[in-house]
Amino acid sequence: EDQVTQSPEALRLQEGESSSLNCSYTVSGLRGLFWYRQDPGKGPEFLFTLYSAGEEKEKERLKATLTKKESFLHITAPKPEDSATYLCAVGEGGGGNKLTFGTGTQLKVEL
Amino acid sequence: DAGITQSPRHKVTETGTPVTLRCHQTENHRYMYWYRQDPGHGLRLIHYSYGVKDTDKGEVSDGYSVSRSKTEDFLLTLESATSSQTSVYFCAISDPGLAGGETQYFGPGTRLLVL
């Protein structure tokens, strides 16, 4: 059974204080590791897809990396507008294009 | 914006009543999904569709049924709502046949309260 564990559950940062969020996973056949951002009362917003170990993707202050067992979302010099819940999901092998989600990391960036 | 709308956006209903939630997309994506999101559980797949009239069960399908008679619409029905079905429901779409097509894009959600 596919499993996704995100840590920490919650993180409070000062503006400009860089940090990383972790997503560890077990899956029988990885068909993508996905990162989403979710603001309160909204649907998840797609950030990145990673397909193979060693792959990295960047967008503004965010950089996602992937190993065979985990992914990191690095946040460099965060701003208050980066406050959100960050969700990680893995796509499994086989049919259906199904995703298994972690429970998320709630990030709060303060002035 | 993946052109996904959900209706209603909020609904309050009573235990035992039937409820139908609608997901509408404007870009002819092949796959559509229904998830529920609850504190401590993350997003869990209820049902998904891989084409018109082609559907399959997800992780938490008991008490739910779906229908897809047109490409653009995917309906989720709670035949007899229970308090345990109080949740936020999200629709998503994807096109696995395209490059990067495994990525799912989500709608705005429907908040359902079953009293």
Side-chain angles (χ1 to χ4, degrees):
Chain A
E1 182 179 320
D2 299 347
Q3 287 192 325
V4 179
T5 304
Q6 292 189 246
S7 61
E9 290 185 10
L11 181 62
R12 181 170 288 186
L13 299 174
Q14 296 296 309
E15 184 176 14
E17 179 187 3
S18 300
S19 188
S20 297
L21 313 182
N22 177 262
C23 172
S24 61
Y25 65 90
T26 56
V27 63
S28 56
L30 184 67
R31 287 185 61 179
L33 185 293
F34 304 84
W35 282 99
Y36 290 86
R37 168 193 171 126
Q38 187 173 24
D39 293 299
K42 303 278 186 71
E45 175 189 346
F46 171 69
L47 292 173
F48 304 108
T49 306
L50 303 167
Y51 289 102
S52 56
E55 189 174 359
E56 298 183 352
K57 288 192 176 174
E58 288 188 69
K59 179 180 179 180
E60 296 181 354
R61 294 176 294 280
L62 301 177
K63 183 168 87 170
T65 62
L66 181 64
T67 72
K68 288 186 178 180
K69 293 184 178 182
E70 58 191 349
S71 177
F72 291 94
L73 185 65
H74 306 279
I75 304 176
T76 302
K79 298 182 178 182
E81 53 262 42
D82 294 320
S83 297
T85 297
Y86 291 85
L87 304 174
C88 169
V90 295
E92 64 183 51
N97 193 41
K98 290 180 278 189
L99 297 183
T100 299
F101 280 84
T103 53
T105 293
Q106 190 172 5
L107 174 66
K108 173 79 170 174
V109 181
E110 299 173 330
L111 291 169
Chain B
D1 184 1
I4 305 169
T5 56
Q6 294 185 231
S7 58
R9 294 294 314 280
H10 302 270
K11 186 169 182 68
V12 180
T13 191
E14 294 188 350
T15 298
T17 60
V19 176
T20 295
L21 309 183
R22 180 184 184 232
C23 177
H24 179 78
Q25 57 141 331
T26 59
E27 299 183 8
N28 290 322
H29 293 289
R30 182 182 168 201
Y31 277 61
M32 298 183 77
Y33 310 81
W34 277 108
Y35 289 87
R36 60 178 289 173
Q37 187 174 40
D38 305 288
H41 287 279
L43 283 154
R44 292 180 291 173
L45 182 65
I46 305 171
H47 282 278
Y48 66 99
S49 168
Y50 46 95
V52 173
K53 297 186 180 179
D54 291 323
T55 65
D56 205 348
K57 295 179 180 181
E59 177 188 357
V60 291
S61 58
D62 287 348
Y64 301 94
S65 63
V66 290
S67 66
R68 191 170 178 199
S69 57
K70 299 184 291 184
T71 299
E72 59 265 35
D73 289 324
F74 192 32
L75 303 180
L76 177 70
T77 297
L78 292 64
E79 302 289 346
S80 177
T82 68
S83 58
S84 65
Q85 293 175 313
T86 291
S87 187
V88 182
Y89 291 86
F90 289 100
C91 175
I93 57 88
S94 71
D95 259 318
L98 302 177
E102 295 85 359
T103 299
Q104 295 183 18
Y105 297 90
F106 285 81
T110 294
R111 288 187 174 274
L112 176 66
L113 174 61
V114 183
L115 299 174

